[in-house]
Amino acid sequence: MFLIVGILILIGLGFNALGAFSLYRFPDVYTRLHGATKCTTFGTLFTMFAVVAYSLGKLVSTGEARFGVFIIHGAVAALVLLITNATGAHAIARAAHRSGIFPALAVVDRLEEKEEAKGGSSR
């Protein structure tokens, strides 16, 4: 059991480290946001899986109900993280675009095309 929990924690730490590295490596706010959001989502999910695996093992071995509650809390936290992390990243990216920060090396900018079609230009 501890081997599985350890592996899941290491995978989570690896993804979180990649997310932190993406903040320094990528050229603009959009790619940094993409890297940080994706990696921290996966990193936190794997850490949450470790919590669930540990609690499941303890629930089976001891039969204490508090570990069942811990599993439910972990599952709810993972679900909320999946929803809020993507939504927050989308809101930050849209706010950056509306503030005049455009993608550095973008080939296609659908949001600008959409705003030009409405009659306004964002650049």
Side-chain angles (χ1 to χ4, degrees):
M1 178 55 65
F2 286 114
L3 178 66
I4 293 171
V5 171
I7 289 171
L8 288 172
I9 288 176
L10 285 177
I11 292 171
L13 286 174
F15 272 113
N16 282 330
L18 286 174
F21 183 71
S22 72
L23 291 175
Y24 294 109
R25 180 68 179 98
F26 289 150
D28 61 1
V29 68
Y30 302 101
T31 53
R32 288 178 185 161
L33 189 62
H34 172 76
T37 303
K38 295 281 184 188
C39 290
T40 55
T41 299
F42 282 118
T44 306
L45 283 178
F46 274 102
T47 306
M48 204 63 70
F49 291 152
V51 169
V52 169
Y54 177 79
S55 299
L56 190 61
K58 285 292 191 179
L59 179 68
V60 170
S61 66
T62 64
E64 294 182 35
R66 64 183 174 147
F67 292 110
V69 173
F70 213 38
I71 292 170
I72 293 170
H73 286 181
V76 170
L79 180 67
V80 169
L81 175 82
L82 280 174
I83 295 169
T84 59
N85 218 1
T87 306
H90 177 79
I92 291 170
R94 196 166 180 101
H97 196 277
R98 287 187 176 186
S99 297
I101 302 170
F102 298 104
L105 303 171
V107 176
V108 177
D109 188 354
R110 298 276 185 224
L111 185 57
E112 183 178 352
E113 292 173 4
K114 187 177 177 183
E115 290 182 7
E116 285 176 358
K118 288 181 181 176
S121 177
S122 57
R123 289 193 185 202

